[in-house]
Amino acid sequence: MREAHQDAVARVSEERLWRRLMEMAQIGAIPGNGVNRAALSKEDIAARKVLIGWARERNFEVGVDAIGNLFVRRPGQDAAAAPVITGSHMDSQPRGGRFDGIFGVLAGLEALQAMDEAGVKTRRPIELVAWTNEEGGRFQPCTMGSAVYTGARKLEDFLEVRDNEGVALRDALWQTLTATPGLARRPVNAPAAAYIEAHIEQGPLLENAGKTIGVVTGIQGLRWFNIEVSGRTDHAGTTPLALRQDALRSSIQIIHALHELTRDATDTVRFTVGRMLVTPNSPNSVASHVLFSVDVRHPDPATIAGLGKAVEPAARKAAGPCAITVTSTLHDDPCVFDPNVVDAVERAANALKLPSMRLPSGASHDAMYLARVCPTGMIFVPCEKGVSHNEAENAKPADLAAGARVLTAALLELANK
Ligand SMILES: [Zn+2]
């Protein structure tokens, strides 16, 4: 690493990063150390104002695009060059933690500030972004900001989406943009030279392996299905079992068959049935109708494709006397990160003598969309017992600072290409 780069990395402040994380955690704080900061809510607006204030203290230009993605820019020597982008999200789950998303945003700010303090120059501009509505807790779907930025979806597709109170995204977005005036207006599909996102792992692998840095190789693919099982309701006391079309019993057999289908020796496949609606849902009536969700994930494209195709036939075979309908509700292919960005992250961890390991991301992230338009990678740091989307989410200040240092070094490498 060059001397100026070493100086910038050394100026990443564990104390300042932690202090800012704790200040942000006050915005939307809920009992149990958690955070409820829904996208485009008054809490989100408050967090945006704090971030804008910190950026302006350093005289960084702050901009916003039509979906509300917030950008903080540190100029490069070549003003015409596409920027290297880093960032994550500031919204949270309704019962979210203090680190999911916001760590990547504040680690990016820490990187920009450390570079500034060291007086280091980069060829390309470096931009920090806070993507709008990553979580999808208030407005669905999730990862809206990055979907619009990368052109995967159009802003117009989302404007009429409503939250549980009936508020349209159009109005919440307008409120957010008017509450944060004076920002440079940016085009929606501005080009990027590369993207790196720092994030807590949200799983237990780094902690269990005793590693500080996760060099993320990609994001696993997923398939979602709704399975509807139709039978006939009958009296629980009088109808012989052999004559029943019990939709709940068939559902259990189907779930068991899918569990067998997805069993693997390496425990890499993820299989979840997390939602089930039973009709009539009465203790002394045979269930006539059951609707349940299926979520299957794997990082390997061929494996997830094969599993996705096998769900419906396996479910039909196990359905017994009931009729079933299988509907695909979500289909994300695995994303494989750019080898140059993955290597840059690994090199940075090695140069800083931080123990690291390569791993795929189990959760979806904005990086999934960015990977479609520019070389992309991610940096993970451990979180306590892998707990996330939970008030108890926790991470160590030293690990978070280590992640910010790796981010700074990797950004410097990519911004000089
Ligand atoms: Zn997140």
Side-chain angles (χ1 to χ4, degrees), residues 139 155-163 167-170:
F139 295 106
L155 174 63
E156 296 74 54
D157 294 350
F158 298 140
L159 290 175
E160 295 310 318
V161 170
R162 287 176 192 271
D163 69 6
V167 177
L169 183 119
R170 178 196 297 279

Side-chain angles (χ1 to χ4, degrees), residues 89 100-101 134-135 199:
H89 59 96
D100 178 359
E134 192 273 345
E135 293 289 358
H199 208 284

Side-chain angles (χ1 to χ4, degrees), residues 45 49 52 56 62 64 70 175-184:
I45 290 170
K49 285 182 172 169
I52 292 166
R56 285 187 173 153
V62 186
V64 70
L70 196 61
Q175 270 177 1
T176 303
L177 294 177
T178 50
T180 49
L183 306 180

Side-chain angles (χ1 to χ4, degrees), residues 23-364:
E23 189 172 335
M24 281 291 190
Q26 295 304 309
I27 305 174
I30 56 173
N33 264 343
V35 169
N36 179 6
R37 203 159 51 230
L40 308 175
S41 64
K42 66 180 197 307
E43 291 81 13
D44 187 3
I45 290 170
R48 286 165 183 258
K49 285 182 172 169
V50 169
L51 182 68
I52 292 166
W54 285 333
R56 285 187 173 153
E57 275 172 21
R58 298 300 307 184
N59 291 319
F60 293 134
E61 184 187 279
V62 186
V64 70
D65 66 13
I67 182 97
N69 295 321
L70 196 61
F71 290 84
V72 174
R73 180 179 172 99
R74 183 168 189 266
Q77 290 169 306
D78 181 355
V84 173
I85 299 184
T86 184
S88 192
H89 59 96
M90 301 204 290
D91 66 322
S92 79
Q93 288 287 322
R95 288 176 56 190
R98 299 174 293 169
F99 304 97
D100 178 359
I102 192 67
F103 163 61
V105 173
L106 296 181
L109 182 66
E110 192 57 41
L112 292 192
Q113 184 156 353
M115 289 175 200
D116 231 34
E117 288 177 358
V120 60
K121 291 190 167 43
T122 56
R123 185 175 84 75
R124 294 182 180 280
I126 301 180
E127 291 183 345
L128 161 66
V129 59
W131 302 112
T132 296
N133 188 26
E134 192 273 345
E135 293 289 358
R138 180 182 179 193
F139 295 106
Q140 288 85 46
C142 54
T143 54
M144 269 187 192
S146 52
V148 170
Y149 174 84
T150 56
R153 298 289 300 270
K154 289 198 180 65
L155 174 63
E156 296 74 54
D157 294 350
F158 298 140
L159 290 175
E160 295 310 318
V161 170
R162 287 176 192 271
D163 69 6
N164 286 340
E165 267 74 59
V167 177
L169 183 119
R170 178 196 297 279
D171 297 323
L173 181 57
W174 183 81
Q175 270 177 1
T176 303
L177 294 177
T178 50
T180 49
L183 306 180
R185 204 52 190 262
R186 295 170 48 104
V188 158
N189 305 123
Y195 176 71
I196 313 183
E197 178 167 351
H199 208 284
I200 57 167
E201 183 200 340
Q202 304 183 282
L205 301 181
L206 291 175
E207 188 179 76
N208 287 348
K211 307 288 189 190
T212 309
I213 298 295
V215 178
V216 187
T217 51
I219 299 176
Q220 66 181 345
L222 66 84
R223 296 288 187 277
W224 280 13
F225 302 92
N226 274 342
I227 300 188
E228 288 184 74
V229 183
S230 302
R232 189 183 64 230
T233 189
D234 276 308
H235 195 293
T238 58
T239 318
L241 295 190
L243 299 182
R244 294 183 185 188
Q245 290 175 39
D246 182 337
L248 187 50
R249 198 164 126 206
S250 288
S251 298
I252 290 163
Q253 283 164 355
I254 293 168
I255 293 167
H256 184 68
L258 295 178
H259 194 70
E260 290 301 315
L261 172 76
T262 54
R263 189 186 292 281
D264 74 317
T266 60
D267 197 11
T268 308
V269 182
R270 300 285 176 264
F271 166 68
T272 306
V273 174
R275 179 168 180 260
M276 183 176 269
L277 301 172
V278 180
T279 310
N281 209 20
S282 161
N284 51 359
S285 289
V286 175
S288 62
H289 191 260
V290 174
L291 171 76
F292 62 93
S293 61
V294 172
D295 174 321
V296 188
R297 308 187 193 208
H298 198 278
D300 175 58
T303 307
I304 189 65
L307 286 171
K309 282 199 189 94
V311 164
E312 179 160 357
R316 287 204 178 283
K317 210 171 145 197
C322 292
I324 68 163
T325 315
V326 179
T327 314
S328 164
T329 53
L330 192 60
H331 176 137
D332 281 337
D333 285 326
C335 137
V336 179
F337 286 154
D338 183 88
N340 291 321
V341 181
V342 174
D343 288 349
V345 171
E346 193 164 61
R347 260 196 301 281
N350 290 341
L352 296 168
K353 300 191 168 57
L354 292 164
S356 70
M357 65 187 271
R358 290 186 173 224
L359 78 173
S361 172
S364 300

